[in-house]
C-alpha cells in the first residue's frame, strides 16, 4: 500500500486518474451549460456574439461547448474531437470575450482550458467508449 507514495512505485493508477479527470471536469462545466441550454430553448435574446456569426449561432455554439462536448468527454466518445471543441470554446471565452480584461476575468476559462488540453494530449484512457469501440479485435 505504501509503495504507491514512493516516487519510483510500480503501482500506477493512470487510467483511473484519466477517468476522474475526464468525468469530473465536464460535470462541473455542465452546471454552466445547463442554464445556457435552457435559455437557448426558451429563445432568449442578447447572447454575446464574439465571432460575429449572430447571437443565436453563438448561443448554440456555447451550448455545444458546454453541454454536448462535455457529455462526449464524460462518455469517452470521440474524446479528442470533443476536447478540441472545448479548447476552441475556452480560447474564445478567454481571449475574445475577456480580451481586454485582467487575468482574474480570464481565469475561469483558463482553468477549464488546461484539463481539456491535458485530456486531448493523453487520450480518453482505458475506461472509455473510444477504447472499447476502436481497440483492435483479435480473433
Amino acid at each position: 500500500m505504501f509503495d504507491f507514495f514512493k516516487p519510483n512505485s510500480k503501482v500506477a493508477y493512470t487510467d483511473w486518474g484519466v477517468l476522474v479527470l475526464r468525468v469530473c471536469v465536464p460535470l462541473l462545466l455542465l452546471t454552466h451549460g445547463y442554464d445556457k441550454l435552457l435559455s437557448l430553448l426558451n429563445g432568449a435574446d442578447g447572447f454575446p456574439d464574439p465571432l460575429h456569426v449572430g447571437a443565436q449561432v453563438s448561443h448554440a455554439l456555447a451550448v455545444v461547448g458546454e453541454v454536448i462536448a462535455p457529455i462526449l468527454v464524460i462518455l469517452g466518445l470521440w474524446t479528442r474531437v470533443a476536447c478540441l471543441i472545448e479548447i476552441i470554446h475556452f480560447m474564445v471565452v478567454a481571449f475574445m470575450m475577456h480580451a481586454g480584461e485582467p487575468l482574474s476575468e480570464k481565469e475561469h476559462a483558463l482553468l477549464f482550458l488546461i484539463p481539456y488540453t491535458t485530456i486531448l494530449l493523453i487520450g480518453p484512457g482505458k475506461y472509455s467508449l473510444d477504447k472499447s469501440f476502436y481497440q483492435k479485435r483479435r480473433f
Side-chain angles (χ1 to χ4, degrees), residues 33 41 44 63 96 106:
L41 294 175
V63 169
M96 293 180 82
K106 298 174 186 181

Side-chain angles (χ1 to χ4, degrees), residues 36-58:
K36 287 183 180 70
L37 175 62
L38 291 180
S39 66
L40 179 68
L41 294 175
N42 291 328
D45 292 331
F47 196 81
D49 185 21
L51 300 175
H52 307 290
V53 294
Q56 284 294 99
V57 173
S58 288

Side-chain angles (χ1 to χ4, degrees), residues 84-133:
L84 191 58
I85 291 168
E86 294 299 345
I87 290 165
I88 293 167
H89 174 73
F90 285 112
M91 288 181 79
V92 167
V93 172
F95 302 116
M96 293 180 82
M97 297 276 303
H98 299 291
E101 298 176 16
L103 179 62
S104 61
E105 295 298 318
K106 298 174 186 181
E107 182 178 18
H108 194 245
L110 294 174
L111 286 172
F112 275 110
L113 181 63
I114 293 166
Y116 283 114
T117 302
T118 303
I119 297 167
L120 175 75
L121 294 172
I122 62 177
K126 180 178 173 182
Y127 306 112
S128 66
L129 290 177
D130 284 342
K131 176 73 172 175
S132 62
F133 288 158

